[in-house]
Amino acid sequence: MSRELVHQVQIVLADAGFGPGSGISTQSDGVAVIVAWHPDRLIRPTIAAHASDPDVHAAAEIPGIRTALEQALTSVFLAAGLSPLTQPEGIIRVTATPVG
């Protein structure tokens, strides 16, 4: 089931435009799939652009973008009939919606 769910989640992500290069990864975790975003491609240019800013750390956190992405992914998974659960550490646990 888990391998099938990972494949389903990857297809849902690709169909929504979150394919290779998006920074999104998927990983099997028992009956769930862990979906995480690794924003390196976005953070590095941000840090370079704000290198002289004494509060460069705040510019690199990008909390608004992370929140918007989590909300978008949650909507995508719900529309696909999956059950997403956002975790405090910035990941989404996706499970199959129980039948019945």
Side-chain angles (χ1 to χ4, degrees):
M1 167 66 173
S2 184
R3 184 177 294 167
E4 294 166 7
L5 183 58
V6 170
H7 185 67
Q8 182 181 4
V9 166
Q10 290 170 340
I11 289 171
V12 166
L13 288 169
D15 287 348
F18 297 102
S22 66
I24 295 179
S25 66
T26 56
Q27 176 183 334
S28 178
D29 184 39
V31 298
V33 175
I34 301 296
V35 178
W37 180 50
H38 311 281
D40 290 350
R41 295 177 113 179
L42 181 62
I43 289 177
R44 290 187 193 287
T46 301
I47 290 173
H50 296 274
S52 63
D53 185 344
D55 196 19
V56 71
H57 182 322
E61 285 183 357
I62 56 176
I65 293 174
R66 186 172 296 282
T67 299
L69 179 65
E70 287 174 357
Q71 290 176 352
L73 291 175
T74 296
S75 294
V76 166
F77 293 132
L78 288 171
L82 298 170
S83 296
L85 179 61
T86 303
Q87 303 288 298
E89 55 274 2
I91 62 172
I92 300 174
R93 270 180 73 82
V94 180
T95 56
T97 303
V99 177

